[in-house]
Amino acid sequence: HIWLDPVRYAQVAEGVGKALEKADPKHAADYRKNTATLVKRLHALDTQFKDGLAHTESKVFITTHAAFGYLAERYGLTEEAINGLDPESEPSAARVKALESMAKADGVTTVFYETLVSDKTAKTIASDAGLRTDVLDPIEGITAKSRGKDYFSVQEANLKALRQALGAK
């Protein structure tokens, strides 16, 4: 899920752009131009995240699936995943209890779930712990349920959801 970190995604874009230039030298100038445009937009998105998450009441968020580690690392946040890498598995009672304790200690307000998987586990844990639920999209597929029509609009929706959940000032 490195694409959720705009800085790392920009590095990938630069590498792909260079590979395309080499593979198709006739259109190298187009690849360079398009890569530069994409990288510029990704750096602007990085600035939005940096500024938007700089001052928050909490730095911890709960997700149904450990997809947001790169994003969390980039912006000094801590992701606590209910189920690790499998968003569909059921957490143990011990894991639920640990999450509830952690949420209380760290001022967590929200349990995030994804657009492409069931929200049942997130809603159950949130209800038991007195927390809200919201969507944080790992951008594994854009659907009619997505909060945006492309990478950038979904990422901006993710930032808005994180700012609200973390108590951005």
Side-chain angles (χ1 to χ4, degrees):
H1 295 93
I2 63 170
W3 59 88
L4 295 172
D5 172 349
V7 175
R8 288 180 192 228
Y9 200 26
Q11 293 167 344
V12 170
E14 288 171 335
V16 170
K18 283 183 172 61
L20 290 171
E21 287 176 41
K22 189 174 180 179
D24 184 12
K26 185 176 172 182
H27 298 101
D30 292 331
Y31 295 122
R32 261 191 305 281
K33 178 181 163 234
N34 292 337
T35 299
T37 299
L38 176 58
V39 168
K40 184 177 179 180
R41 286 189 72 193
L42 288 166
H43 286 304
L45 182 63
D46 171 53
T47 299
Q48 284 180 268
F49 269 90
K50 234 184 279 182
D51 294 348
L53 298 172
H55 305 288
T56 58
E57 293 173 13
S58 177
K59 295 289 184 191
V60 180
F61 62 100
I62 298 173
T63 61
T64 52
H65 145 228
F68 300 90
Y70 290 108
L71 183 135
E73 179 184 351
R74 173 71 52 201
Y75 303 109
L77 306 174
T78 300
E79 173 192 29
E80 288 290 340
I82 295 169
N83 298 320
L85 294 174
D86 180 4
E88 296 287 357
S89 68
E90 292 293 322
S92 68
R95 180 66 179 147
V96 171
K97 185 175 173 90
L99 285 168
E100 289 175 0
S101 296
M102 179 274 310
K104 188 173 184 180
D106 291 327
V108 173
T109 63
T110 307
V111 176
F112 288 107
Y113 62 93
E114 303 171 24
T115 52
L116 297 180
V117 297
S118 170
D119 61 2
K120 182 180 168 194
T121 300
K123 287 187 174 182
T124 299
I125 290 172
S127 176
D128 291 349
L131 305 173
R132 294 188 312 260
T133 58
D134 200 354
V135 171
L136 202 57
D137 196 327
I139 317 177
E140 293 172 343
I142 304 284
T143 70
K145 292 181 180 180
S146 298
R147 291 182 176 171
K149 297 187 184 300
D150 63 17
Y151 171 85
F152 289 98
S153 58
V154 172
Q155 279 286 67
E156 288 166 357
N158 283 344
L159 174 57
K160 182 179 178 183
L162 281 168
R163 285 180 47 79
Q164 182 177 358
L166 298 174
K169 299 169 189 164

